[in-house]
């Protein structure tokens, strides 16, 4: 067996996840804000109306298609420096630069030259992202071989991703500071985006140079052709079960995440900004439950906890669907004056505010479970397959899951938007349409529970643990 990764190096390796959250967050959160402008923003209109959403959809499809190709190249690599780190080192800086250049189209007003620039930079960004992220995620699967320590590793990973996702919400504050210093709005945004791109590049580079891959990973080049490798991976029963369950679960999350703002303002009648409070509660409480998740996995295993988390989601989503009687049961009194009332908005009811806070509190533990357990289970299966077959295809295990889920999410996003506008006569989301997203999300999670029930976690984990014990015994002999 190779060296065991220290906790310090494990933390450093997880900085790549922070980079992934920051750079990906700039695209997901701020491209629409930057290019779909409002009069109050002060930003120039650089693309035809609605074009950015279409371009991002093309980018996501391109991203999904390139994942298996990059995975196959990485799995086959025979570099003396390892099969993963060379890709990460070369891709880290382009990953950040292309992310930033999306926001620098050459023309100052609406132009098809800008459309060509943005799509070219988006495709370059997604290519760089794939070249970095697929080998990086494959390395994560390979570098920790102990099943219990792997859960801890993915806990750190999730923590870094959550922190990175939270940090980017400070960007508008930075934009406001630059505007106050006299910069034009477009350049205030660009300078703020540039600072975050530099942070992302630095955090992507650190894991690339932190370790010598060959000291920690027993990696053997896999010469299986791309399509054969993809088919073989998807044909593995446990992997297929987890992938289908993960796909359905992510579809449910897409309905919930896409409609969260509307649950707060359309259903509960609170200020849209109160959704930030709900998100903050879910993040803080979720992080606090990470040690509990690790303790429960050691006691019960991953599968029971994953099933329980999905069942909890079903209850939460149904609670949103039946929000009215729940809010009324809590209280029908108006919220008194104070800080909370200023956040919730004029006329807010105690029951509605309590229901919103309950969403944040109740969803925290299931989020912690579903952030940590599926990636850890996928890594278990990659190791199980490597021991069983002698073929080291960790990259393809990453790519097959990414390929399926990205293509499905591209379609689900459009369905979410359509659902919220059911019965609309004025181009605004309707109360019934927003409620329906919660019901659909609950149905998705019910099916996810059914599919996950067929995953044989004990077989995979016990096999790996027995193999690790034999390896340690052989080293001592």
């Amino acid at each position: 067996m190779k060296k065991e990764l220290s906790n310090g190096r494990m933390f450093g390796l997880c900085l790549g996840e922070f980079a992934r959250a920051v750079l990906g967050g700039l695209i997901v959160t701020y491209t629409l804000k930057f290019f779909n402008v409002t009069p109050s923003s002060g930003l120039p209109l650089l693309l035809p109306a609605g074009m950015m959403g279409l371009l991002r959809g093309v980018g996501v499809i391109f991203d999904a298609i390139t994942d298996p190709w990059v995975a196959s190249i990485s799995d086959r690599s025979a570099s003396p420096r390892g099969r993963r780190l060379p890709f990460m080192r070369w891709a880290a800086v382009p990953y950040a630069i292309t992310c930033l250049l999306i926001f620098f189209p050459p023309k100052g007003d609406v132009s098809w030259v800008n459309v060509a620039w943005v799509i070219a930079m988006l495709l370059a960004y997604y290519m760089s992202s794939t070249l970095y992220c697929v080998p990086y995620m494959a390395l994560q699967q390979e570098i920790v071989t102990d099943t219990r320590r792997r859960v801890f590793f993915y806990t750190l990973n999730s923590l870094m991703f959550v922190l990175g996702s939270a940090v980017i919400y400070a960007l508008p504050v930075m934009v406001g500071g630059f505007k106050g210093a006299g910069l034009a709005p477009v350049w205030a945004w660009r300078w703020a985006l540039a600072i975050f791109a530099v942070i992302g590049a630095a955090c992507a580079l650190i894991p690339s140079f932190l370790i010598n891959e060959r000291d920690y990973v027993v990696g053997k080049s896999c010469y299986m052709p791309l399509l054969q490798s993809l088919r073989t991976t998807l044909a593995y029963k446990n992997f297929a079960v987890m992938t289908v369950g993960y796909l359905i679960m992510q579809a449910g999350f897409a309905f919930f995440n896409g409609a969260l703002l509307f649950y707060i303002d359309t259903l509960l009648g609170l200020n849209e900004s109160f959704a930030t409070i709900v998100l903050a509660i879910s993040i803080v409480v979720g992080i606090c439950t990470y040690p509990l998740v690790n303790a429960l996995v050691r006691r019960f295993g991953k599968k029971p906890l994953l099933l329980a988390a999905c069942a909890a989601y079903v209850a939460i989503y149904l609670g949103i669907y039946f929000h009215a009687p729940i809010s009324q049961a809590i209280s029908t009194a108006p919220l008194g004056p104070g800080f909370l009332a200023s956040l919730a908005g004029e006329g807010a009811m105690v029951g509605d505010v309590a229901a919103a806070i309950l969403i944040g509190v109740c969803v925290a533990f299931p989020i912690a479970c579903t952030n940590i357990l599926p990636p850890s289970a996928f890594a278990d299966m990659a190791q199980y397959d490597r021991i069983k077959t002698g073929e080291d295809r960790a990259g393809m295990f990453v790519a097959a899951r990414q390929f399926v889920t990205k293509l499905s999410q591209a379609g689900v996003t459009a369905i979410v938007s359509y659902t919220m506008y059911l019965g609309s006569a004025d181009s605004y989301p309707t109360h019934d349409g927003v409620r329906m997203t919660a019901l659909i999300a609950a149905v998705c999670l019910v099916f996810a529970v059914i599919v996950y029930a067929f995953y044989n976690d004990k077989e995979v984990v016990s096999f790996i643990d027995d193999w690790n014990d034999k390896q340690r015994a052989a080293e001592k002999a």
Side-chain angles (χ1 to χ4, degrees):
M1 295 180 74
K2 294 279 189 174
K3 287 183 182 178
E4 187 173 275
L5 198 67
S6 67
N7 286 347
R9 290 185 183 275
M10 190 181 288
F11 176 82
L13 189 63
C14 290
L15 285 175
E17 205 67 23
F18 187 91
R20 200 166 72 89
V22 168
L23 297 175
L26 295 183
I27 301 300
V28 172
T29 307
Y30 294 115
T31 50
L32 292 180
K33 180 71 175 176
F34 187 84
F35 289 104
N36 292 357
V37 302
T38 59
S40 61
S41 70
L43 291 168
L45 187 62
L46 302 172
L47 297 178
M51 179 61 69
M52 192 63 219
L54 176 63
L55 297 184
R56 269 181 48 185
V58 172
V60 169
I61 293 171
F62 175 79
D63 187 26
I65 292 170
T66 54
D67 278 352
W69 176 64
V70 171
S72 180
I73 295 173
S74 179
D75 283 344
R76 294 201 308 266
S77 174
S79 169
R81 294 175 180 166
R83 298 188 301 158
R84 317 302 181 190
L85 289 181
F87 288 89
M88 294 166 59
R89 289 170 183 170
W90 281 104
V93 174
Y95 185 16
I97 290 176
T98 54
C99 174
L100 180 61
L101 287 178
I102 291 166
F103 299 90
F104 282 79
K107 299 291 185 179
D109 52 11
V110 176
S111 167
W112 287 102
V113 173
N114 289 347
V115 173
W117 173 275
V118 171
I119 188 61
M121 290 303 105
L122 266 175
L123 295 181
Y125 161 78
Y126 281 117
M127 189 72 255
S128 301
S129 169
T130 298
L131 285 167
Y132 183 89
C133 293
V134 169
Y136 173 58
M137 295 169 76
L139 180 64
Q140 291 175 351
Q141 292 187 347
E142 296 169 327
I143 202 161
V144 179
T145 57
D146 181 83
T147 54
R148 292 184 178 182
R149 203 150 185 267
R150 179 175 284 142
V151 174
F152 173 70
F153 173 63
Y154 278 104
T155 301
L156 281 181
N157 234 27
S158 175
L159 176 62
M160 288 295 103
F161 190 86
V162 168
L163 291 177
S165 300
V167 161
I168 62 167
Y169 285 100
L171 191 142
V173 177
M174 198 177 292
V175 170
F178 283 131
K179 286 181 182 177
L183 284 180
V186 67
W187 283 102
W189 273 93
R190 284 170 174 169
W191 274 107
L193 289 161
I195 290 170
F196 277 91
V198 170
I199 293 171
C203 290
L205 281 168
I206 289 171
S208 308
F209 291 93
L210 183 67
I211 62 168
N212 182 344
E213 183 180 335
R214 294 298 185 188
D215 288 345
Y216 294 92
V217 176
V218 181
K220 186 178 71 172
S221 299
C222 174
Y223 296 100
M224 190 179 292
L226 189 157
L227 291 178
Q228 182 185 347
S229 180
L230 181 60
R231 282 196 302 269
T232 302
T233 303
L234 292 172
Y236 172 32
K237 181 183 174 182
N238 263 331
F239 179 80
V241 167
M242 274 298 295
T243 301
V244 172
Y246 189 76
L247 186 157
I248 298 171
M249 183 177 76
Q250 290 296 326
F253 292 169
F255 277 94
F256 174 76
N257 296 334
L260 178 59
L261 290 175
F262 298 95
Y263 296 152
I264 301 303
D265 63 3
T266 303
L267 297 189
L268 298 176
L270 309 178
N271 281 344
E272 184 182 278
S273 58
F274 201 78
T276 305
I277 305 299
V278 175
L279 286 172
I281 291 170
S282 68
I283 289 171
V284 172
V285 176
I287 290 173
C288 291
T289 64
Y290 279 7
L292 177 61
V293 173
N294 278 255
L296 291 174
V297 169
R298 286 194 294 272
R299 176 68 178 85
F300 299 106
K302 300 181 192 71
K303 179 179 172 179
L305 208 55
L306 185 58
L307 294 175
C310 290
Y313 279 123
V314 173
I316 293 164
Y317 296 161
L318 288 177
I320 293 170
Y321 184 75
F322 295 106
H323 68 282
I326 294 174
S327 297
Q328 291 169 8
I330 295 172
S331 176
T332 56
L335 190 65
F339 176 69
L340 197 59
S342 68
L343 294 174
E346 186 178 351
M349 309 298 288
V350 171
D352 292 331
V353 172
I357 293 172
L358 274 174
I359 292 173
V361 172
C362 294
V363 83
F365 181 68
I367 286 177
C369 292
T370 51
N371 281 348
I372 295 168
L373 300 180
S376 180
F378 281 115
D380 288 344
M381 286 183 281
Q383 185 181 1
Y384 177 90
D385 181 76
R386 182 166 64 250
I387 297 168
K388 279 277 192 179
T389 66
E391 295 284 354
D392 201 341
R393 297 179 294 109
M396 192 56 72
F397 271 83
V398 170
R401 170 166 56 99
Q402 297 283 84
F403 177 75
V404 171
T405 54
K406 284 176 182 177
L407 287 181
S408 69
Q409 285 173 0
V412 168
T413 302
I415 298 172
V416 173
S417 298
Y418 175 77
T419 303
M420 288 193 294
Y421 288 88
L422 285 176
S424 176
D426 54 8
S427 299
Y428 289 101
T430 64
H431 187 277
D432 288 341
V434 173
R435 280 185 73 213
M436 185 58 67
T437 63
L439 183 61
I440 295 173
V443 172
C444 287
L445 268 294
V446 168
F447 281 106
V449 169
I450 294 170
V451 175
Y452 279 144
F454 290 93
Y455 174 59
N456 194 337
D457 182 49
K458 287 184 178 179
E459 176 194 346
V460 174
V461 171
S462 62
F463 179 84
I464 294 172
D465 289 343
D466 289 345
W467 185 85
N468 283 337
D469 290 342
K470 289 175 184 176
Q471 293 295 107
R472 295 188 187 100
E475 286 184 354
K476 291 178 181 178

